[in-house]
Amino acid sequence: MDLIVTKNVEKQYENGVTAVYDLNLTIAKGDFVFVIGASGSGKSTLIKMLYREEKPTKGEITVGGIDVSKLKNRNVYKIRRKIGIVFQDFKLLPRLTVYENVAFALEVLGASKVEVQKKTIQALDLVGLKAKAKNFPNQLSGGEQQRVSIARAIVNGPKLLICDEPTGNLDPVTSIEVMKVLDDINKLGTTIIMATHDKDIVDKMKKRVILLEDGKLVKDFKKGTYSYEIV
């Protein structure tokens, strides 16, 4: 069953630049998809439209049965609650502990104290950081901070995890550690879409690869590499 469907999607910014042209794409539940392409190819614009940071100029984007392209601003929270988002720069709150950073994502939804504690510990355990629950972000390595941000993104059990260059600030070894965590999350049933420039990771993972060039979808391989080869 398809989790994401885009139909004839186009995005033109106010400065006249068209970032995405006539994009038609389907992503099934449980997929792991890399979105690749040069800077300016439309990767970030596509990612942002999926979680409604940007709205398409034309076309339709359906995520989990919700047409996000028609969502009013006051209703954006409805789709955000169903999506986990991981950014390149972690976006952790420096004055909160690891536990508090993850728990906060549940507390703002009004979850009970018991539910918050249970789900937060489960999420930290899944990313291998249960033992560092009381640490603060500045006491962690970059890779550990990114794993905390992943825990925060998945703590509410989203069906979709969107990752925008999550290894962009990490060294190669740490990047592999983070990707192992994401692969484990995907194996549990979460659909993952990841925009990346990281050739080595794409080549190692052998997942579905979508290539954008100048805002257009030009390649879509079920199992591909950054060199656009079918494997």
Side-chain angles (χ1 to χ4, degrees):
M1 184 175 177
D2 292 327
L3 182 68
I4 296 170
V5 179
T6 74
K7 294 180 180 178
N8 309 117
V9 169
E10 182 174 303
K11 174 62 180 180
Q12 186 177 65
Y13 289 100
E14 291 182 359
N15 62 5
V17 173
T18 301
V20 173
Y21 292 88
D22 195 30
L23 182 67
N24 291 282
L25 179 67
T26 59
I27 295 174
K29 288 182 178 180
D31 257 3
F32 193 128
V33 182
F34 287 116
V35 182
I36 67 172
S39 295
S41 62
K43 298 191 308 298
S44 289
T45 297
L46 169 59
I47 292 290
K48 288 177 179 178
M49 287 193 293
L50 293 179
Y51 63 86
R52 198 22 189 82
E53 178 72 16
E54 296 286 353
K55 291 179 70 174
T57 310
K58 296 178 183 177
E60 179 181 307
I61 300 175
T62 304
V63 179
I66 297 175
D67 186 350
V68 299
S69 54
K70 293 181 180 177
L71 268 184
K72 296 184 183 299
N73 289 341
R74 67 175 181 271
N75 293 325
V76 169
Y77 74 92
K78 292 181 179 179
I79 192 69
R80 296 279 176 85
R81 287 183 174 183
K82 297 183 178 184
I83 296 174
I85 308 169
V86 179
F87 300 96
Q88 180 174 336
D89 56 355
F90 317 143
K91 298 190 183 297
L92 300 178
L93 299 170
R95 296 185 180 181
L96 299 185
T97 64
V98 165
Y99 177 92
E100 290 166 342
N101 263 282
V102 178
F104 182 73
L106 291 171
E107 290 166 349
V108 296
L109 297 177
S112 69
K113 189 173 181 179
V114 172
E115 184 181 10
V116 169
Q117 185 174 21
K118 179 183 176 182
K119 288 186 175 181
T120 299
I121 293 300
Q122 285 177 340
L124 288 174
D125 196 27
L126 183 57
V127 301
L129 289 175
K130 184 177 176 181
K132 298 203 173 184
K134 294 181 180 179
N135 288 58
F136 288 89
N138 66 0
Q139 297 173 311
L140 304 178
S141 68
E144 288 171 334
Q145 290 185 61
Q146 189 60 289
R147 283 190 277 153
V148 175
S149 70
I150 292 170
R152 181 184 57 194
I154 64 168
V155 71
N156 198 38
K159 300 296 183 186
L160 174 63
L161 183 61
I162 295 175
C163 304
D164 194 358
E165 301 280 358
T167 62
N169 291 333
L170 305 177
D171 63 75
V173 173
T174 306
S175 295
I176 293 298
E177 292 173 358
V178 167
M179 292 311 302
K180 184 182 184 307
V181 170
L182 291 176
D183 197 32
D184 288 343
I185 292 168
N186 175 243
K187 287 174 181 174
L188 292 172
T190 302
T191 305
I192 295 180
I193 300 173
M194 175 173 159
T196 186
H197 284 104
D198 198 322
K199 178 183 183 300
D200 290 340
I201 280 175
V202 175
D203 289 351
K204 282 185 173 75
M205 298 284 286
K206 303 292 193 299
K207 302 291 187 180
R208 183 178 174 189
V209 177
I210 290 170
L211 170 64
L212 298 180
E213 285 184 1
D214 299 323
K216 298 174 183 176
L217 175 62
V218 295
K219 299 284 184 182
D220 185 351
F221 295 128
K222 187 175 181 180
K223 289 187 177 182
T225 69
Y226 208 94
S227 301
Y228 325 139
E229 300 165 350
I230 300 175
V231 295

